[in-house]
Amino acid sequence: MDEADVTELFEHYRTVKRSAEADGGRFTLLPFFVKALVTVLKDYPIFNASVDEERQEILLKRYFNIGIAVDTPEGLIVPVIKGADKKDMIRLSDEIADLAERARQRKLTLEELRGGTCTLTNIGPLGGVFATPIINQPELAIVGLHKIQDRPVVVDGEIAIRKMMYLSVSFDHRWIDGADGARFMTDLVRLVSNPGLLMARL
């Protein structure tokens, strides 16, 4: 688990939101986290992989199909954004909204639930401080996003109110070392804390 100051990300989001919604869609913060996750997965391919339990083999994926955990009346459903690295944020936002709505209506196809390489779960809107999400097997990792809230923090030696959030990553420790987990999270926090850097890496 780690903590991120997402004040600049939130301000950047608010700046582009109106333009992004010009065609009538709904633009959220989630695509920024999807893009940040994909960027870090490229640097840490073991987190974008699955395990073949029978053969005891790791399958490293060269594509980025991000599962998005959706809370529905029938329980958690994880539709998959295929080729998330190849889609811009407006398209990602539209696709996430569509998949989430059809997940709640039980209208997803089996194909839309298969083929994930890593999962993202947005726990923040449901409450709680932080959590340890359970891996969506046979994937090897899942990232949890937690509540964004205003908190006093020290910035350049002075107290300031910043938008802060916790992030967590759960991973299969049989295949992924804890030190790599820490490095993975450090790099993810760096990207969501600095939207300029994130844009430069896309």
Side-chain angles (χ1 to χ4, degrees):
M1 300 176 188
D2 208 337
E3 185 177 38
D5 181 342
V6 293
T7 306
E8 292 183 21
L9 178 65
F10 194 81
E11 291 174 354
H12 179 76
Y13 160 70
R14 290 184 62 182
T15 299
V16 302
K17 179 177 170 63
R18 179 173 295 181
S19 296
E21 293 181 343
D23 291 333
R26 180 169 175 262
F27 189 66
T28 70
L29 267 172
L30 196 52
F32 290 94
F33 291 98
V34 172
K35 283 296 190 180
L37 174 59
V38 168
T39 300
V40 178
L41 289 174
K42 290 178 180 179
D43 294 333
Y44 298 87
I46 190 63
F47 289 80
N48 193 61
S50 63
V51 59
D52 184 326
E53 294 285 0
E54 290 186 5
R55 296 184 178 182
Q56 288 292 288
E57 292 179 350
I58 293 295
L59 306 174
L60 298 176
K61 309 298 176 64
R62 295 184 179 179
Y63 49 90
F64 300 89
N65 295 345
I66 306 301
I68 304 292
V70 178
D71 182 39
T72 78
E74 286 75 31
L76 202 66
I77 296 177
V78 186
V80 177
I81 303 289
K82 304 288 176 64
D85 57 317
K86 296 179 172 63
K87 296 172 180 174
D88 65 36
M89 292 193 196
I90 294 175
R91 185 175 174 190
L92 283 174
S93 190
D94 289 341
E95 192 167 330
I96 290 168
D98 173 61
L99 288 171
E101 181 62 26
R102 288 191 292 115
R104 296 184 186 100
Q105 297 173 355
R106 308 289 287 187
K107 292 183 178 179
L108 294 174
T109 67
L110 202 54
E111 183 60 27
E112 290 172 320
L113 298 169
R114 290 177 171 169
T117 59
C118 187
T119 295
L120 192 63
T121 179
N122 186 16
I123 305 162
L126 303 179
V129 178
F130 51 75
T132 52
I134 296 174
I135 302 164
N136 186 23
Q137 295 181 331
E139 296 170 21
L140 296 187
I142 181 171
V143 170
L145 306 177
H146 307 280
K147 187 190 307 181
I148 298 174
Q149 54 186 347
D150 291 340
R151 293 207 303 271
V153 297
V154 178
V155 179
D156 296 327
E158 297 183 353
I159 300 294
I161 302 301
R162 307 288 290 181
K163 292 194 177 297
M164 306 296 294
M165 72 178 297
Y166 294 109
L167 298 95
S168 58
V169 59
S170 299
F171 51 89
D172 192 329
H173 216 319
R174 296 173 302 169
W175 307 100
I176 300 176
D177 186 74
D180 285 335
R183 294 184 188 100
F184 176 95
M185 181 54 69
T186 296
D187 287 356
L188 182 61
V189 166
R190 185 180 296 117
L191 287 178
V192 301
S193 299
N194 187 340
L197 178 60
L198 174 59
M199 297 304 111
R201 291 289 308 274
L202 295 183

